[in-house]
Amino acid sequence: MSTVIDGKALAETLRSRIKQAVSELQAEHNIVPGLAVVLVGENPASQVYVRSKARQTVEVGMQSFEHRLPENTSESDLVQLIKELNQEPQVNGILVQLPLPAQINSEHIINTINVNKDVDGFHVENTGRLSIGSDSLIPCTPAGCLILLKRTIGDIAGQNAIIIGRSNIVGKPVAQLLLKEHCTVTIAHSRTRDLSSTCRQADIVIAAVGVPEMVKGDWIKPRATVIDVGINRITDNSGKSKLVGDVDYASASEVAGAITPVPGGVGPMTIACLLQNTIIATCRQRQIKLPEAIS
Ligand code: NDP
């Protein structure tokens, strides 16, 4: 049986360091970082995420600003709000909850956010900086995956990693991060041929696909480290609704050296990394050093 990578516990440790960092910023610079979260429409999953982000922001001592807009909001009205938040000194981080309604171009909205307040790390300039290996605000879920990996394995240089999924928000940035850490990276997607045997070569498997329990135990190299980003709601045989990942946990945990559960693996790390990004953004904007607690 493999080691279970406890993302919940690790996220809790990270949040307590963030809380300490917020206290340091307040004591030494009289700054209370602020995070603005913008939600357009009534998507139930998005509402849950936004509530959770706001609650955890306040719990670590930061200011939370919530902006809820109706489903029929126009792109120009949303652009106007982002421009106001860009100018607001108490707002150090801006997150626009995705997906946005169809009438709004997400790329345009993301690129309207001030690049130094882009705590999701999706702005084209942050994406570009990440791809050339320079300093950037790093997308939260990929940052969480990297922390989990390093806590589990230590130095990951030279390891063969496969990332299954090539989205802009998970797959591609994870690949860039692992490349920066000197892994040999394979990015797989829906057109990849013979995915299972390519996967079996990997020391590190990151699954970010959105297909419930797709990655089976016989795809996993013995003792490999498996990070399951997927969050899928399914109905089990007894008719109960439950969350599962993109990895078939039962069979994969028989083979892997270490594996993240769903829930309780990558998910909790995502919000912790968002809070950390808000502190990093604050320090960049004020041109001060990162607090000891998170540096
Ligand atoms: P996307 O739908 O944007 O991307 C999915 C990727 O998987 C695509 O690149 C697609 O390939 C690839 N893919 C789909 N089907 C297959 C297949 N059968 N074989 C191989 N590759 C396939 O998803 P996201 O990246 O946004 O999310 C991925 C998962 O991670 C979801 O379950 C999502 O809920 C979860 N998630 C979890 C987060 C967390 O905090 N834990 C945060 C964000 C996402 P192609 O490009 O060819 O279409």
Side-chain angles (χ1 to χ4, degrees):
M1 271 311 256
S2 48
T3 304
V4 180
I5 304 172
D6 188 348
K8 207 169 157 205
L10 206 52
E12 206 172 301
T13 307
L14 184 54
R15 278 198 306 275
S16 73
R17 292 220 308 268
I18 291 165
K19 197 169 178 176
Q20 174 65 33
V22 172
S23 304
E24 279 179 50
L25 282 176
Q26 195 160 15
E28 290 169 24
H29 303 281
N30 199 23
I31 295 172
V32 180
L35 172 64
V37 178
V38 180
L39 174 63
V40 184
E42 310 280 327
N43 180 317
S46 295
Q47 287 180 329
V48 172
Y49 291 137
V50 165
R51 257 200 306 276
S52 185
K53 284 166 186 171
R55 180 176 48 78
Q56 293 190 35
T57 302
V58 172
E59 276 171 10
V60 296
M62 300 201 269
Q63 296 188 85
S64 166
F65 305 96
E66 266 187 80
H67 295 268
R68 289 171 182 264
L69 306 177
E71 182 80 29
N72 63 358
T73 299
S74 69
E75 186 170 315
S76 59
D77 282 353
L78 184 54
V79 165
Q80 184 53 37
L81 172 63
I82 305 288
K83 285 184 174 169
E84 284 165 23
L85 295 173
N86 283 344
Q87 296 301 321
E88 174 52 64
Q90 285 195 310
V91 171
N92 303 105
I94 302 169
L95 179 148
V96 178
Q97 185 66 43
L98 301 176
L100 287 167
Q103 75 276 13
I104 299 175
N105 178 332
S106 305
E107 202 179 319
H108 180 209
I109 295 301
I110 288 164
N111 291 329
T112 303
I113 298 172
N114 177 328
V115 65
N116 292 319
K117 294 190 178 186
D118 168 41
V119 283
D120 247 345
F122 296 158
H123 189 291
V124 69
E125 192 175 324
N126 278 319
T127 308
R129 285 185 194 164
L130 178 62
S131 76
I132 60 166
S134 92
D135 241 13
S136 63
L137 284 164
I138 295 168
C140 306
T141 301
C145 291
L146 183 61
I147 295 173
L148 290 170
L149 272 177
K150 287 179 136 183
R151 283 299 168 100
T152 307
I153 309 177
D155 185 10
I156 59 175
Q159 301 238 355
N160 286 329
I162 186 166
I163 293 114
I164 313 177
R166 56 174 165 179
S167 72
N168 290 336
I169 64 168
V170 188
K172 284 180 196 154
V174 168
Q176 296 291 1
L177 282 175
L178 296 195
L179 202 54
K180 199 172 173 187
E181 295 292 328
H182 313 294
C183 289
T184 301
V185 176
T186 301
I187 307 174
H189 46 78
S190 65
R191 308 284 186 93
T192 299
R193 292 196 191 128
D194 207 4
L195 179 53
S196 56
S197 63
T198 310
C199 190
R200 254 190 314 275
Q201 310 297 314
D203 307 305
I204 294 170
V205 177
I206 313 262
V209 195
V211 178
E213 300 176 323
M214 185 182 88
V215 178
K216 308 293 181 197
D218 61 3
W219 295 28
I220 306 294
K221 179 177 171 180
R223 309 297 305 154
T225 304
V226 178
I227 306 288
D228 188 353
V229 181
I231 303 177
N232 309 288
R233 186 161 288 284
I234 61 159
T235 307
D236 69 13
N237 293 338
S238 62
K240 273 196 195 142
S241 160
K242 65 169 188 173
L243 289 181
V244 297
D246 291 341
V247 175
D248 176 22
Y249 187 87
S251 62
S253 61
E254 294 290 330
V255 188
I259 185 167
T260 55
V262 176
V266 175
M269 292 300 291
T270 297
I271 300 186
C273 290
L274 169 69
L275 302 175
Q276 178 165 267
N277 269 356
T278 306
I279 294 184
I280 294 170
T282 305
C283 293
R284 287 198 184 156
Q285 287 153 37
R286 305 294 286 260
Q287 298 184 324
I288 54 178
K289 265 183 28 196
L290 274 180
E292 291 268 311
I294 63 157
S295 52

